[in-house]
C-alpha cells in the first residue's frame, strides 16, 4: 500500500511539472479512457403501455452499456484515447523527438472525439410505437465527459501544431 501511495504521489508530482497543454491533453484523454470504460455510455429505457405494461416495465425497464461494449465505434474511441496517452508517454521518454509525433497525437485525440460523435449519432434516439416507447440517452459520466475530454485534447494538440508552424 505504501508503494502505491508513493507511485501515485510521484505521478501527480510529475503531472504538475508538465506544461498546461500537456496537462490538458493527458487529462482529457485519461478522462475519455477511464470514464468510458468505468461508466455506462448509453442508457436505454423501455416503457410498455397497456395491461401487461406494469409487469413488463418492472422486468425490462432499463439497460446500459459501456463504450467498450457499445460496438466498434465505442471500442475505437477508447483505443484511440489509450493510444494517444501511450504515444505521448513514449515520446516524452524517448531521447529523439520524432517530427511526426505531434500530428499523431492530434490524430489520436481527434479520432477518439470523432468516434464518440459517431457513437452518439449511431446509437439512435427516442422512439415511440403502439403501446411502447424506447428512450436512448447518452450518459453524463460515460459519454459527455469523455467526449468533452477528447475534444479538449484535440483542441490543445491542434493548437500546439498551429502555433508551432
Amino acid at each position: 500500500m505504501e508503494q502505491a501511495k508513493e507511485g501515485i504521489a510521484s505521478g501527480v508530482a510529475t503531472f504538475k511539472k508538465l506544461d498546461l497543454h500537456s496537462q490538458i491533453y493527458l487529462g482529457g484523454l485519461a478522462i475519455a479512457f477511464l470514464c468510458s470504460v468505468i461508466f455506462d455510455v448509453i442508457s436505454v429505457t423501455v416503457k410498455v403501455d397497456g395491461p401487461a405494461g406494469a409487469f413488463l416495465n418492472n422486468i425490462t425497464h432499463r439497460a446500459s452499456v459501456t463504450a467498450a461494449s457499445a460496438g466498434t465505434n465505442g471500442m475505437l474511441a477508447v483505443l484511440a484515447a489509450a493510444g494517444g496517452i501511450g504515444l505521448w508517454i513514449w515520446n516524452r521518454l524517448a531521447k529523439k523527438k520524432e517530427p511526426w509525433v505531434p500530428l499523431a497525437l492530434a490524430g489520436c485525440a481527434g479520432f477518439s472525439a470523432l468516434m464518440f460523435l459517431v457513437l452518439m449519432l449511431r446509437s439512435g434516439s427516442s422512439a415511440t410505437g403502439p403501446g411502447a416507447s424506447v428512450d436512448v440517452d447518452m450518459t453524463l459520466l460515460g459519454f459527455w465527459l469523455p467526449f468533452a475530454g477528447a475534444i479538449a485534447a484535440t483542441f490543445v494538440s491542434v493548437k500546439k501544431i498551429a502555433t508551432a508552424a
Side-chain angles (χ1 to χ4, degrees):
M1 191 65 125
E2 190 65 34
Q3 287 179 337
K5 286 181 183 177
E6 289 175 14
I8 291 172
S10 172
V12 169
T14 302
F15 184 78
K16 287 181 179 180
K17 292 177 187 175
L18 299 175
D19 63 302
L20 182 61
H21 283 95
S22 296
Q23 287 179 346
I24 293 172
Y25 182 84
L26 287 176
L29 287 186
I31 286 171
F33 176 77
L34 291 174
C35 286
S36 60
V37 170
I38 295 171
F39 300 109
D40 296 329
V41 69
I42 299 171
S43 169
V44 180
T45 306
V46 179
K47 287 193 172 195
V48 180
D49 299 329
F55 176 71
L56 292 174
N57 287 334
N58 288 334
I59 295 174
T60 60
H61 61 84
R62 193 167 187 83
S64 54
V65 293
T66 61
S69 62
T72 304
N73 298 325
M75 181 59 79
L76 288 175
V78 171
L79 290 176
I85 293 169
L87 185 60
W88 188 92
I89 292 171
W90 170 79
N91 184 53
R92 178 149 172 91
L93 297 177
K95 292 179 181 175
K96 181 183 176 196
K97 306 299 180 203
E98 299 291 342
W100 53 267
V101 169
L103 290 174
L105 292 173
C108 286
F111 187 69
S112 181
L114 177 66
M115 288 296 100
F116 275 113
L117 181 63
V118 170
L119 177 63
M120 179 182 70
L121 295 175
R122 291 204 55 206
S123 66
S125 60
S126 302
T128 55
S133 66
V134 178
D135 187 27
V136 179
D137 295 314
M138 308 312 284
T139 63
L140 175 66
L141 294 176
F143 177 79
W144 291 108
L145 188 62
F147 185 44
I151 289 172
T154 304
F155 177 76
V156 296
S157 61
V158 170
K159 185 175 179 184
K160 200 169 188 178
I161 293 171
T163 56

